Amino acid sequence: MKVVIVGGVAGGATAAARLRRLDENAQIIIIERSGYISYANCGLPYYIGEEIKEKSALTLQTPQSFYNRFRIDARVKQEVIKINRDEKTVVIRRIDDGEEYTESYDKLILSPGAKPVIPPLPGIDNEKIMTVRTVEDTFKVYDYIENNSPKKAVVAGGGFIGLETAENLLKRGIEVTLIERSTHVMPPFDEDMAAIMHNCIKDNGIDLRVNTSVTGFNENGGKIEVSIDNGESINADMVIMSVGVTPESTLAKRAGLETGIRGAIAVNTNMLTSDENIYAVGDVVEVNHYVSGKKTLIALAGPANKQGRIAADNICGIKSEYKGSQGSSVLKLFNMTAAATGMNNKATADSGYDYDNVILTSASHATYYPGATNMTVKVTFEKKTGKILGAQIVGYDGVDKRIDVLATAIRANMTAFDLTDLDLAYAPPYSSAKDPVNMAGYAIENILTGKVNQVHWSQVLNNSDDDVILDTRTDMEYAMGNIPTAIHIPVDSLRERMGEIPKDKKIYVYCQSGLRSYIACRILKQNGYTCYNVSGGYGFYSNVVKGSCLEAEGTGPCGLKKC
């Protein structure tokens, strides 16, 4: 059997290695357009910032090492320019000299990945405008910094690569303006959760512009003027375009293979295309979203690796299926961590679910053990069943392990009631006896079983003047910031002062995080009041609405740093 693989990196290289492990006699050829057969794509921005110092650390395999270990013929700086499906051949061009030749195949795997979106803006061809997608791109950016000592940079696009590159340029002493055309950075997150990241970005010295679009470029006096849609121009020494990627499906389209959304290659669960001898994997394919079941594009290394393995299995006669992606991802943003899995609010609404969210602030570990930090946890659930549909967490320590638990819960079709039952590891330096994941389950369970009614800040701020807002925090917390129209009664004094609260009105209750206000709601409800717990508390409000966390400097009333 002869298998030709178009593209290396995650999907193609994984498929090749798996094929060899399953079939020692197969002839396996990888054709890779870049100069590197397998590299750490997600690590590229960190080389720019000199967190990763050696070029060799970025290259996971070389053609020679791949041959030595697997006897796989990996050819770099070559590209497949045509597929002859009837003859089962591909036409390959050597990039260095332009020479073309033909290679036959029994099975073909397409893994060309995705390419950066380069909008057709005036002046876009300027050499000072670069991308960070391949190793070559990264070396170009690094060398430009070394040779030109730029003082100012503009990064267009606030996704993973845009944020990571902006942070690493800042580490190199470069002043950075980050431009994002939508309302917030990081599309997998809801706007309210992204607002916490906005505060972190700005606090670390990046000039963040959201709801802003780049309209063109003009070189002037050795600088590049970046025009934006409000008529302003920003002078910079370099520009990084990171406004997204699009499937590199040109080859597949020319071959007449079936395509789907945004031109991505359509595949079945075996990663087989519309041609029985051609498979496709990675960023070039459309997949089913695991939660919604809808077709989607998810350009992440984890799914690409799994798909490469599944394609190889099926080529070798092993029945293997890709059951869908849920977009589990994590981002390092300065000393903060942001992670998401499943669907955000927009995707959930578009999928037709009747859903709600809980938002809670939880400590990374037991608060009496030194060094605890807070994380904001948002979990989306189906109202009817309590099924977990998505989760987003922004914080510091322990974010990654909680999102992985919630990702597993989604994959297992768990409900909030299942989250409360999870038996998770506990010791004071690592967690609390009731882990934040358990707490999310308890919060949803309380809503589903009618123990508490919930309301979100957007509803409170648009409330009727006849409704009552109740602040149940301590005097110290209240003095640091409050809702001016709120009645202030600390929760510990509530039973004695209940007479100050009108019984014929709706009562919206908040504390710092949502826990004490829940207790207050239980007290009030059992005394005949119509009470609503404000999700996320004042800490969430101060981040999202006021644009800062009141206790970001030092230690707040709850005793936690980064409260």
Side-chain angles (χ1 to χ4, degrees):
M1 179 173 61
K2 182 178 180 181
V3 182
V4 174
I5 302 173
V6 181
V9 196
T14 296
R18 177 68 169 172
L19 281 167
R20 175 57 73 224
R21 292 194 297 270
L22 295 176
D23 188 343
E24 183 64 20
N25 297 313
Q27 182 182 358
I28 305 168
I29 301 171
I30 301 178
I31 307 297
E32 169 57 44
R33 180 169 44 199
S34 76
Y36 301 88
I37 195 65
S38 179
Y39 56 87
N41 187 283
C42 300
L44 300 180
Y46 299 101
Y47 179 78
I48 293 170
E50 297 186 322
E51 289 287 323
I52 298 173
K53 298 186 183 300
E54 299 296 330
K55 287 184 177 182
S56 59
L58 296 173
T59 54
L60 306 178
Q61 292 282 357
T62 66
Q64 189 60 51
S65 68
F66 225 49
Y67 180 80
N68 291 344
R69 178 66 55 86
F70 297 110
R71 295 301 187 267
I72 289 171
D73 181 3
R75 306 172 189 176
V76 296
K77 295 186 178 181
Q78 300 187 29
E79 62 177 337
V80 175
I81 58 174
K82 186 178 181 182
I83 302 171
N84 298 309
R85 291 168 56 189
D86 292 337
E87 293 85 4
K88 294 174 67 174
T89 62
V90 292
V91 179
I92 303 166
R93 179 169 57 207
R94 294 186 177 93
I95 292 175
D96 288 342
D97 58 17
E99 183 180 340
E100 297 179 5
Y101 66 96
T102 299
E103 195 74 64
S104 64
Y105 64 83
D106 295 310
K107 299 293 181 182
L108 181 67
I109 301 177
L110 302 179
S111 181
K115 58 185 177 182
V117 173
I118 305 297
L121 299 174
I124 192 70
D125 294 329
N126 193 295
E127 63 179 8
K128 294 182 174 67
I129 301 172
M130 293 165 272
T131 59
V132 180
R133 182 67 184 173
T134 66
V135 174
E136 286 91 345
D137 291 340
T138 306
F139 292 163
K140 180 181 178 181
V141 173
Y142 184 90
D143 291 343
Y144 183 86
I145 295 171
E146 290 291 294
N147 296 329
N148 297 278
S149 301
K151 300 294 187 295
K152 294 184 179 181
V154 168
V155 177
F160 285 98
I161 296 297
L163 291 183
E164 290 166 350
T165 302
E167 176 182 344
N168 282 281
L169 289 173
L170 196 70
K171 286 182 178 179
R172 296 294 302 272
I174 301 169
E175 184 180 326
V176 178
T177 298
L178 177 63
I179 298 174
E180 169 56 50
R181 69 177 179 178
S182 74
T183 58
H184 64 281
V185 301
M186 292 299 290
F189 290 78
D190 294 322
E191 186 174 350
D192 51 8
M193 294 296 284
I196 305 172
M197 289 182 265
H198 291 180
N199 299 333
C200 176
I201 291 166
K202 291 182 284 190
D203 288 347
N204 278 279
I206 290 177
D207 179 14
L208 175 63
R209 314 279 188 98
V210 294
N211 284 314
T212 303
S213 295
V214 175
T215 58
F217 307 93
N218 180 53
E219 185 157 7
N220 186 3
K223 302 284 186 179
I224 184 162
E225 292 181 349
V226 182
S227 300
I228 56 180
D229 53 4
N230 66 357
E232 181 185 350
S233 290
I234 302 170
N235 284 323
D237 300 300
M238 62 184 296
V239 175
I240 303 294
M241 294 299 295
S242 184
V243 296
V245 296
T246 188
E248 180 60 284
S249 56
T250 304
L251 184 65
K253 291 177 183 176
R254 288 175 181 168
L257 296 177
E258 183 181 336
T259 57
I261 53 175
R262 290 178 56 191
I265 302 174
V267 293
N268 65 14
T269 58
N270 306 126
M271 308 313 299
L272 186 65
T273 70
S274 53
D275 186 307
E276 64 180 359
N277 295 304
I278 303 176
Y279 293 77
V281 301
D283 298 353
V284 76
V285 303
E286 65 173 12
V287 296
N288 292 326
H289 195 286
Y290 183 79
V291 183
S292 71
K294 291 188 173 184
K295 296 295 183 183
T296 188
L297 300 179
I298 295 181
L300 294 169
N305 276 280
K306 295 179 183 71
Q307 293 159 15
R309 180 185 178 95
I310 287 167
D313 283 353
N314 282 283
I315 287 172
C316 292
I318 299 172
K319 295 300 180 184
S320 184
E321 289 187 310
Y322 187 68
K323 297 179 181 179
S325 298
Q326 63 193 67
S328 300
S329 55
V330 63
L331 169 75
K332 175 192 173 298
L333 185 62
F334 296 98
N335 63 334
M336 181 174 276
T337 301
T341 186
M343 297 192 297
N344 60 17
N345 280 357
K346 183 181 185 304
T348 307
D350 290 346
S351 297
Y353 282 99
D354 183 17
Y355 72 96
D356 200 356
N357 310 289
V358 292
I359 300 166
L360 56 150
T361 302
S362 293
S364 57
H365 61 248
T367 56
Y368 60 82
Y369 188 88
T373 58
N374 269 352
M375 64 181 76
T376 301
V377 181
K378 182 175 187 177
V379 179
T380 303
F381 63 95
E382 186 179 28
K383 287 183 180 179
K384 182 179 179 180
T385 64
K387 180 181 175 181
I388 307 303
L389 304 174
Q392 302 162 46
I393 309 178
V394 181
Y396 301 88
D397 297 333
V399 169
D400 53 340
K401 74 174 182 176
R402 271 61 182 229
I403 206 69
D404 282 343
V405 173
L406 288 162
T408 304
I410 290 172
R411 183 63 56 157
N413 297 310
M414 288 184 176
T415 68
F417 304 100
D418 297 315
L419 295 187
T420 67
D421 287 337
L422 288 178
D423 190 352
L424 303 174
Y426 160 63
Y430 302 106
S431 185
S432 299
K434 289 185 285 189
D435 189 85
V437 174
N438 298 130
M439 293 301 296
Y442 292 135
I444 299 171
E445 181 187 73
N446 287 335
I447 295 169
L448 295 177
T449 57
K451 292 182 179 65
V452 67
N453 295 318
Q454 177 180 260
V455 67
H456 298 288
W457 276 111
S458 58
Q459 298 163 283
V460 174
L461 297 175
N462 294 318
N463 73 314
S464 166
D465 292 337
D466 292 333
D467 297 331
V468 173
I469 302 175
L470 176 63
D471 186 328
T472 60
R473 297 175 301 154
T474 65
D475 292 339
M476 182 186 298
E477 288 172 299
Y478 182 80
M480 293 178 67
N482 57 72
I483 307 297
T485 57
I487 297 173
H488 176 227
I489 303 176
V491 67
D492 293 343
S493 306
L494 183 59
R495 291 180 179 88
E496 291 73 29
R497 297 177 58 184
M498 238 184 296
E500 301 174 27
I501 306 170
K503 221 168 191 178
D504 59 343
K505 296 182 179 181
K506 293 179 181 178
I507 315 299
Y508 299 119
V509 188
Y510 72 86
C511 64
Q512 188 67 17
S513 66
L515 177 58
R516 286 168 291 171
S517 53
Y518 163 67
I519 295 169
C521 274
R522 291 299 300 154
I523 295 170
L524 292 170
K525 185 174 182 178
Q526 292 177 79
N527 281 277
Y529 288 84
T530 302
C531 182
Y532 296 84
N533 189 22
V534 182
S535 180
Y538 192 80
F540 193 65
Y541 167 86
S542 63
N543 262 299
V544 175
V545 179
K546 298 183 71 174
S548 66
C549 179
L550 295 181
E551 290 84 34
E553 302 296 332
T555 302
C558 60
L560 296 180
K561 295 179 180 178
K562 301 294 184 185
C563 183

